[in-house]
Amino acid sequence: MKSLLDEWHYLIKSKYPIIAIIFPLVAVLAYSLLLPSSQINESKVIVVDQDNTSYSRQLIQKIDASQYIQVDQIISYTNNPESYFYHEQYLAVISLPKGLEENHNRSLPNRIGLILDNTNSQAVTFIRTGMQEITGYENMQLAIPALSRTGMSIEQAQGTASNLAVEVRSLFNPTSSYDNTSILTFICMFSFMMLNINSLPIIARLRVSHRLAGELRNPFNPLIRILPYVLFSTAGLIFAMGVLKWVGGSRFEGNVALFMIPVALYVFGSVCINILVAWGAAHPGIAIGRMIFIFMPAFVLSGGTMARALFPPLALQISDFFPFVWMFKFLRSMGLRGASFQEMLPELGSMMLYVAVLAMLVVARGLWEKQKLAKLQKTSSPAHSEKPFPGAPPTAISTPTPEPSKG
């Protein structure tokens, strides 16, 4: 209990309780303003109209009418289309070939050039979609009358020109909302980063203040010190997600109270890993510097920014060593996909078992450190040592009392 109160008083005096709640909230507001739309509409393109006929002008009007494309400029010729991408003004160059109208009237093939700036594939995805919709419609308009003249009915002509159609049903995030993807990822990232910065120096802080030896009289004390972090980090993360759902209309289908269980386990397990990784750090600065070994791999492998299907099987197995990855699995399944708590019990059991193993490793590390300090205390003599052993409180060195002079 003394360790819990000590860590509680330390956190209350620090800025962590405010940071744990405010930082995810700031991420919600900032990224909601930066990413107001879930898709890129009215992407600026330049059209090279080499045909310059009535049909080519009609086609340009249809391209400009697409919600995904805005025709910003029309030129008749260019020998260097790449130059229009240099200043990031345009995302695509559409080239209409010479003889477009003539080939269209004679039902001969036409090849429209679509040159995309693929330095960011996400930016040009909807341009490709818009062009596919336009060309598909134009092909149908040309094919159906031609087939009707062969004696087919309109239905038969439509079935011949477009025999197969795909009906798409997008589940869990049908509007591709950034609230359910990017913004949610950044909220978790900021919360995880603040948790690492504040929890990595726990043992180093005790070491430099010469309280580590006293703390390890009970090897479970480091685990008790984790509880305030569980409280503040869980509260901050759940509060930020609630604000995102209230303000941005993000999707969360699971039971919030039950979802707090894997979140609390994630925080507890993450701090356990932080304690183990930073145990030998001589001072808090070195301990915080070791965040790179935890934060970057956990964030990348979580699937928040990159689809986990891209990773090889070995990387997926390694990712299970990070509680942050486990939390993201529950967030996607319970929050976005709407899986019931009973459905997630196997994953929850595995997570609890893993966190229990981490807790036992922290206790074992504490017992090993306690034995090491005890050996140092036995072999060290205050009279021959100017510095106390690491983690032990400073020992006063007694000086002999001068004897009174005789005579």
Side-chain angles (χ1 to χ4, degrees), residues 140 158-167:
M140 289 282 292
Q158 290 177 341
T160 302
S162 179
N163 187 256
L164 293 177
V166 178
E167 294 185 359

Side-chain angles (χ1 to χ4, degrees), residues 223-379:
L223 296 180
I224 297 175
R225 287 182 177 270
I226 299 177
L227 299 181
Y229 296 90
V230 174
L231 174 63
F232 290 119
S233 287
T234 303
L237 199 55
I238 297 298
F239 177 67
M241 290 182 184
V243 172
L244 182 63
K245 183 176 178 64
W246 176 51
V247 175
S250 68
R251 176 185 175 91
F252 192 93
E253 300 297 321
N255 186 301
V256 177
L258 294 177
F259 178 68
M260 291 173 65
I261 297 175
V263 173
L265 288 173
Y266 135 70
V267 177
F268 192 91
S270 295
V271 179
C272 284
I273 291 181
N274 290 344
I275 290 175
L276 293 171
V277 169
W279 190 287
H283 59 81
I286 296 177
I288 295 176
R290 297 182 182 180
M291 184 174 68
I292 191 66
F293 300 110
I294 300 170
F295 179 78
M296 288 306 298
F299 181 66
V300 172
L301 294 172
S302 67
T305 55
M306 298 175 62
R308 283 172 56 85
L310 294 172
F311 300 134
L314 179 60
L316 295 178
Q317 293 173 1
I318 294 174
S319 69
D320 288 337
F321 286 95
F322 298 99
F324 184 73
V325 176
W326 285 86
M327 189 274 294
F328 249 93
K329 291 180 182 179
F330 281 90
L331 178 58
R332 284 191 292 264
S333 294
M334 293 182 65
L336 301 182
R337 300 184 182 115
S340 64
F341 185 74
Q342 291 78 9
E343 187 71 27
M344 298 302 296
L345 284 178
E347 285 84 354
L348 182 64
S350 299
M351 187 179 186
M352 293 178 67
L353 180 61
Y354 177 54
V355 172
V357 171
L358 291 175
M360 288 189 291
L361 290 176
V362 172
V363 174
R365 187 67 176 86
L367 289 172
W368 184 81
E369 184 78 13
K370 180 180 179 181
Q371 292 177 357
K372 185 176 73 171
L373 294 177
K375 290 180 181 178
L376 286 175
Q377 190 174 15
K378 288 181 180 179
T379 57

Side-chain angles (χ1 to χ4, degrees), residues 48-77:
V48 182
D49 185 5
Q50 302 179 57
D51 197 41
N52 194 23
T53 57
S54 60
Y55 177 70
S56 67
R57 289 189 287 272
Q58 291 175 13
L59 187 59
I60 292 173
Q61 290 177 356
K62 293 178 181 179
I63 293 174
D64 189 49
S66 171
Q67 63 171 323
Y68 307 119
I69 303 173
Q70 177 187 347
V71 177
D72 189 68
Q73 187 179 353
I74 303 173
I75 59 177
S76 59
Y77 175 78

